[in-house]
């Protein structure tokens, strides 16, 4: 098993997966106590709104919990994600459409 990103439900959207914000500290403790290797946090902000504030929140959560990797940003919003420190982005639509 390779390093993993923990998905955070950054917009607290019912239809999206990921950890609720309040459960992140305990879950990260469980991951760190396991043999799994933590690569970072990941999030997908709500559609149709400015993504940068959600990316900034993920950066703050990563800093607070001493996590270095940030998987954030997709084809439509990756410039903001990169500007805020993304270490991984998902750009499938930009490549295949």
């Amino acid at each position: 098993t390779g390093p993993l990103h923990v998905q955070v439900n950054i917009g607290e959207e019912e239809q999206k997966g990921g950890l609720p914000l309040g459960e992140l500290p305990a879950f990260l403790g469980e991951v760190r106590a396991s043999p799994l290797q933590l690569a970072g946090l990941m999030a997908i902000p709500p559609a149709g709104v400015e993504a940068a504030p959600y990316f900034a929140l993920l950066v703050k959560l990563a800093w607070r919990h001493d996590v270095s990797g940030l998987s954030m940003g997709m084809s439509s919003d990756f410039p903001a994600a990169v500007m805020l420190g993304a270490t991984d982005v998902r750009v499938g639509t930009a490549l295949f459409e």
Side-chain angles (χ1 to χ4, degrees):
T1 301
L4 64 94
H5 283 85
V6 172
Q7 183 173 346
V8 179
N9 188 339
I10 201 80
E12 299 179 315
E13 297 175 275
E14 193 173 299
Q15 76 277 13
K16 283 194 180 162
L19 286 171
L21 296 173
E23 294 179 22
L24 182 61
F27 189 80
L28 288 176
E30 290 179 31
V31 170
R32 288 180 168 132
S34 78
L36 299 171
Q37 184 182 359
L38 180 63
L41 301 179
M42 72 155 295
I44 301 172
V49 299
E50 175 61 38
Y54 294 95
F55 295 153
L57 175 57
L58 192 68
V59 170
K60 186 181 289 187
L61 290 169
W63 182 83
R64 184 179 300 150
H65 297 291
D66 196 27
V67 177
S68 59
L70 290 166
S71 179
M72 54 187 194
M74 298 188 339
S75 293
S76 63
D77 56 20
F78 77 88
V82 170
M83 183 180 74
L84 288 165
T87 57
D88 296 272
V89 295
R90 298 170 303 279
V91 291
T93 301
L95 296 174
F96 299 110
E97 284 189 13

